[in-house]
Amino acid sequence: MSVRFTKTMLLYILLIVQVIQITYYLHSNLLYSTNIQCTPEHPTAVHNISDETEAPFMLGNSSLWSGLRSHIKKKYSGLQLPWSSPTVFVVTPTYRRPTQMADLTRLSQTLMNLDFIFWLVVEDGETTQLPVAQLLQRSGLPHRYMAAATPARYRNDPDVGRGVFNRRAALDWLRAHEKRGVLYFADDDNSYDIRLFQQIRSTQKVSVFPVGMILEYGISSPIVRQHKVVGFHDAFQALRKFAVDMAGFAVNLEFLYRKPNATIPLLVSYLEDGFLRALGTSLDDLEPLAHDCTEVLVWHTRTQTPFSPNVAHLPPHSNDTNLPALYANILA
Amino acid sequence: MSVRFTKTMLLYILLIVQVIQITYYLHSNLLYSTNIQCTPEHPTAVHNISDETEAPFMLGNSSLWSGLRSHIKKKYSGLQLPWSSPTVFVVTPTYRRPTQMADLTRLSQTLMNLDFIFWLVVEDGETTQLPVAQLLQRSGLPHRYMAAATPARYRNDPDVGRGVFNRRAALDWLRAHEKRGVLYFADDDNSYDIRLFQQIRSTQKVSVFPVGMILEYGISSPIVRQHKVVGFHDAFQALRKFAVDMAGFAVNLEFLYRKPNATIPLLVSYLEDGFLRALGTSLDDLEPLAHDCTEVLVWHTRTQTPFSPNVAHLPPHSNDTNLPALYANILA
């Protein structure tokens, strides 16, 4: 049996093919543009930065491509997180020291593997620093870089914890600019497995997890029985209700905002405990991550203090070489 | 003036639109598949791994998506490297110690930002370790994981450098499997700016660059005058012709293979110098990177040794909690 194609039949077939193609094209385009628009999920933050500060901030353009990259990563990473999964606000207090650039470079490159991070870097100093601002710019990460110095009267007080005032500044900024998301305090000299940040996104109230290489036990961990946190295994228990390290918990912003005045206390060794108590946290609120706290996904590594470069070491007759410029760069 | 469309005219217009669409579709598809095929550029390596070892290796599938990711990164990173730019073979000697997983996690996440890396990890031990193999697998990086133990008679000899035998094993493997590319020795406790790896790709013979946080000077750098290396600024000069750190140079494989027997010598403190001498390197062969060696893109960071976890610290009545599993994982 043979079929004779009339012009009308051919016309209809071609029209149908066209419609199918256009539908497919529109559909995939729609998918892409949706993904691009949803990363970052905090347009207000990105917008306000440009209003408020002269520090460099993310270019719209790199946000576009990070969105595209994010689409591919999310689609094939096997994570299957919903598009509306929250941003993780990583708060990193930092200060000028010989290892600062190495530590921040390392941490930035860890975060660059993730597409749901907003990085809040707060310098304990009077001003921000150009090399750090350039590093943040290069990273392509959505970020906010601020300076918040410890007041002079507390600076050498052994009873006052370090990084209190820059963490407080980050809390103030979040309260003023962000509604949804998860807060995580990440010091720049720790080491993080990117899976930790992926898990942190699920935080409903307060999530907790083990931290490796800490104090005399070499580990600090919540104690979990039948998927519930029942206590803490930490070398320093003292009077703490929540014996956790700063790197050992994350807080959902909605939970944080229930207590508008909650903040980090001054007393050294009690920063985490005081903050979680101020939030009115109960043991029942704690959500154990890292497979019921049986895995270590963050380590309290510390970088050994190196010898400081000193121009006294410059050899004679080196004025017309690279060395003066090199020393100028590392001593900046 | 009005035009009347006949069925024949409509048919032709639709046909032309179809041809344009199909051509466009084929063209973009061809572009994509080319990119995917060219990453990784060392099919022999990936193939041989599965023949030779039981250690996990890269799945074809993740290679596909890393190719896709690579396409996007290359296209929009502004680097404009040609597709034929060489693979950088990053050789990382490692050994079991409390900080190993933290250090390797950090380094893997740095390398995951790059799409031209082949990672050769060589354990100084009798066997490879499952947690490290799993980390490599998770990274999605093309890699080879081997064990090459230091012979017992050299193990505690203070005159023998560390990491000699695993670096030698990596050299042997490269000679047997790879023709083109650039070799770089990257210890797992250093910190690397990803721009360093991008610059290393251009190495024709031997490239050199400053290393931060090293020895009493806090820096080790080639001395560069008018774009040529004329000497070295390093706290330990001694009898060294090339006073460079292991992290301070990279070698093109073609240059390496000109001396089929060149290897790393045993004598402590002379590993780098002896290796570069064995390659017949002259000062003229050295290519200064990092803007004529005025920037630091790699730091000789060292991770402070932490307290070791010890089951003696386990609290009583913790058998039915997460703690035994947690300790089993960190002490593995």
Side-chain angles (χ1 to χ4, degrees):
Chain A
M1 194 184 85
S2 72
V3 178
R4 270 197 65 216
F5 283 104
T6 64
K7 276 184 188 171
T8 317
M9 280 169 73
L10 270 173
L11 209 59
Y12 276 112
I13 290 169
L14 276 171
L15 267 173
I16 289 165
V17 169
Q18 272 296 319
V19 167
I20 291 170
Q21 283 189 336
I22 289 168
T23 312
Y24 175 78
Y25 177 77
L26 283 179
H27 177 72
S28 39
N29 237 27
L30 202 70
L31 259 181
Y32 254 67
S33 59
T34 309
N35 298 339
I36 288 166
Q37 280 159 14
C38 82
T39 307
E41 287 158 10
H42 27 65
T44 52
V46 171
H47 179 71
N48 279 320
I49 287 167
S50 61
D51 291 346
E52 285 177 23
T53 173
E54 293 178 67
F57 58 96
M58 202 179 85
L59 297 171
N61 211 26
S62 60
S63 136
L64 186 79
W65 294 121
S66 93
L68 198 62
R69 210 173 55 203
S70 109
H71 165 71
I72 288 167
K73 279 199 185 173
K74 280 186 182 162
K75 192 157 180 187
Y76 304 107
S77 67
L79 275 173
Q80 303 294 345
L81 283 162
W83 293 114
S84 59
S85 274
T87 299
V88 175
F89 293 91
V90 174
V91 170
T92 300
T94 188
Y95 62 100
R96 288 187 73 163
R97 60 192 193 277
T99 63
Q100 186 186 26
M101 285 305 287
D103 287 341
L104 281 174
T105 297
R106 229 158 44 182
L107 177 53
S108 73
Q109 292 169 171
T110 285
L111 299 177
M112 281 159 67
N113 288 288
L114 302 163
D115 50 35
F116 50 81
I117 300 292
F118 188 98
W119 199 13
L120 264 163
V121 179
V122 195
E123 192 86 32
D124 188 346
E126 296 303 327
T127 58
T128 56
Q129 300 177 62
L130 187 62
V132 175
Q134 288 170 333
L135 180 152
L136 288 164
Q137 178 82 326
R138 271 199 309 276
S139 76
L141 288 161
H143 66 268
R144 177 75 163 85
Y145 180 37
M146 304 183 282
T150 301
R153 67 182 179 282
Y154 296 126
R155 218 165 284 165
N156 298 310
D157 187 337
D159 291 335
V160 173
R162 295 193 70 171
V164 169
F165 292 90
N166 31 10
R167 288 196 189 92
R168 284 184 179 178
L171 288 178
D172 290 344
W173 188 86
L174 281 173
R175 284 200 168 93
H177 294 92
E178 299 294 339
K179 284 197 173 60
R180 296 188 315 117
V182 177
L183 160 69
Y184 179 57
F185 291 114
D187 288 356
D188 54 6
D189 56 346
N190 289 339
S191 302
Y192 306 88
D193 189 313
I194 54 171
R195 290 177 295 168
L196 180 70
F197 299 96
Q198 290 161 339
Q199 295 185 17
I200 277 175
R201 290 185 94 182
S202 70
T203 305
Q204 299 298 309
K205 289 178 175 174
V206 177
S207 60
V208 286
F209 30 87
V211 180
M213 301 192 190
I214 197 161
L215 299 176
E216 295 87 326
Y217 288 1
I219 186 89
S220 164
S221 177
I223 302 175
V224 179
R225 188 176 277 127
Q226 292 173 339
H227 315 299
K228 301 286 280 179
V229 176
V230 296
F232 297 92
H233 178 60
D234 188 286
F236 175 69
Q237 191 78 43
L239 299 171
R240 299 203 291 175
K241 179 179 177 191
F242 302 99
V244 295
D245 181 72
M246 199 56 91
F249 70 97
V251 181
N252 192 298
L253 292 187
E254 283 182 42
F255 187 75
L256 175 72
Y257 295 161
R258 285 190 203 170
K259 302 282 180 182
N261 300 316
T263 193
I264 317 259
L266 283 178
L267 186 61
V268 69
S269 302
Y270 287 87
L271 307 187
E272 302 88 345
D273 186 52
F275 181 56
L276 290 174
R277 282 173 190 257
L279 293 177
T281 317
S282 73
L283 272 189
D284 277 344
D285 293 329
L286 302 183
E287 306 147 36
L289 299 183
H291 283 110
D292 275 339
C293 299
T294 59
E295 290 180 352
V296 176
L297 299 176
V298 50
W299 297 267
H300 200 256
T301 43
R302 287 167 177 274
T303 310
Q304 277 186 16
T305 307
F307 283 94
S308 279
N310 186 331
V311 286
H313 295 133
L314 281 175
H317 314 299
S318 61
N319 277 348
D320 62 338
T321 70
N322 62 314
L323 295 185
L326 177 63
Y327 271 74
N329 283 336
I330 54 184
L331 297 174
Chain B
M1 193 185 89
S2 72
V3 180
R4 271 198 66 218
F5 285 102
T6 64
K7 275 185 191 171
T8 318
M9 278 168 72
L10 271 174
L11 208 60
Y12 273 111
I13 290 168
L14 276 172
L15 266 173
I16 289 165
V17 169
Q18 273 294 319
V19 167
I20 292 170
Q21 285 190 336
I22 289 169
T23 312
Y24 175 78
Y25 177 78
L26 282 179
H27 177 71
S28 40
N29 237 26
L30 202 69
L31 259 182
Y32 254 67
S33 58
T34 310
N35 298 340
I36 288 165
Q37 280 160 15
C38 83
T39 306
E41 287 157 13
H42 28 65
T44 52
V46 172
H47 179 73
N48 280 319
I49 287 166
S50 60
D51 292 347
E52 286 177 24
T53 171
E54 291 178 71
F57 58 96
M58 203 179 85
L59 296 173
N61 212 25
S62 59
S63 137
L64 185 80
W65 294 119
S66 92
L68 198 62
R69 210 174 53 202
S70 109
H71 164 69
I72 287 166
K73 278 199 186 175
K74 278 185 183 162
K75 194 158 178 189
Y76 305 106
S77 67
L79 276 173
Q80 302 296 343
L81 283 162
W83 293 112
S84 59
S85 274
T87 299
V88 174
F89 292 92
V90 175
V91 170
T92 300
T94 189
Y95 62 101
R96 288 188 74 160
R97 59 191 193 280
T99 64
Q100 186 185 28
M101 285 306 285
D103 288 340
L104 281 173
T105 297
R106 228 157 47 180
L107 177 53
S108 73
Q109 291 170 172
T110 286
L111 298 178
M112 281 159 67
N113 288 287
L114 302 163
D115 51 34
F116 51 81
I117 299 292
F118 188 98
W119 198 13
L120 263 161
V121 179
V122 195
E123 191 85 31
D124 188 347
E126 297 303 327
T127 57
T128 55
Q129 300 178 62
L130 187 61
V132 175
Q134 288 170 334
L135 180 152
L136 288 164
Q137 178 81 328
R138 272 199 308 275
S139 76
L141 288 161
H143 67 268
R144 176 76 164 86
Y145 180 37
M146 304 183 282
T150 301
R153 66 182 179 284
Y154 295 125
R155 218 166 283 165
N156 298 310
D157 187 336
D159 292 334
V160 172
R162 294 193 72 168
V164 168
F165 293 91
N166 30 10
R167 288 196 189 91
R168 283 184 180 177
L171 289 178
D172 290 345
W173 187 87
L174 281 174
R175 283 199 167 93
H177 294 93
E178 298 295 337
K179 284 196 174 60
R180 294 187 317 116
V182 176
L183 160 68
Y184 180 57
F185 291 113
D187 288 356
D188 53 7
D189 55 348
N190 290 339
S191 301
Y192 305 88
D193 187 314
I194 53 170
R195 291 176 295 168
L196 180 71
F197 298 97
Q198 289 161 339
Q199 295 185 17
I200 277 176
R201 291 183 94 182
S202 69
T203 306
Q204 299 299 307
K205 290 177 174 173
V206 177
S207 60
V208 287
F209 31 87
V211 180
M213 300 191 191
I214 195 162
L215 299 176
E216 294 89 325
Y217 288 1
I219 186 89
S220 164
S221 177
I223 302 175
V224 179
R225 189 175 275 128
Q226 292 174 337
H227 315 300
K228 301 286 280 182
V229 176
V230 296
F232 296 92
H233 177 60
D234 189 287
F236 175 70
Q237 191 77 46
L239 299 171
R240 298 204 292 175
K241 180 180 176 188
F242 302 99
V244 293
D245 182 71
M246 200 57 92
F249 70 96
V251 181
N252 191 297
L253 291 187
E254 283 181 42
F255 187 76
L256 175 72
Y257 296 161
R258 286 189 202 169
K259 303 282 181 182
N261 300 317
T263 193
I264 316 260
L266 284 178
L267 186 61
V268 68
S269 304
Y270 287 87
L271 307 188
E272 302 89 344
D273 186 52
F275 181 55
L276 289 175
R277 281 173 191 257
L279 293 176
T281 316
S282 72
L283 273 188
D284 278 343
D285 293 330
L286 302 183
E287 305 147 36
L289 299 182
H291 284 108
D292 275 340
C293 298
T294 60
E295 290 179 350
V296 176
L297 299 176
V298 50
W299 297 266
H300 201 255
T301 42
R302 287 164 178 277
T303 311
Q304 277 186 16
T305 307
F307 283 94
S308 278
N310 186 332
V311 286
H313 295 132
L314 280 175
H317 314 300
S318 61
N319 276 348
D320 62 340
T321 71
N322 62 314
L323 295 184
L326 177 63
Y327 271 73
N329 283 335
I330 55 184
L331 297 174

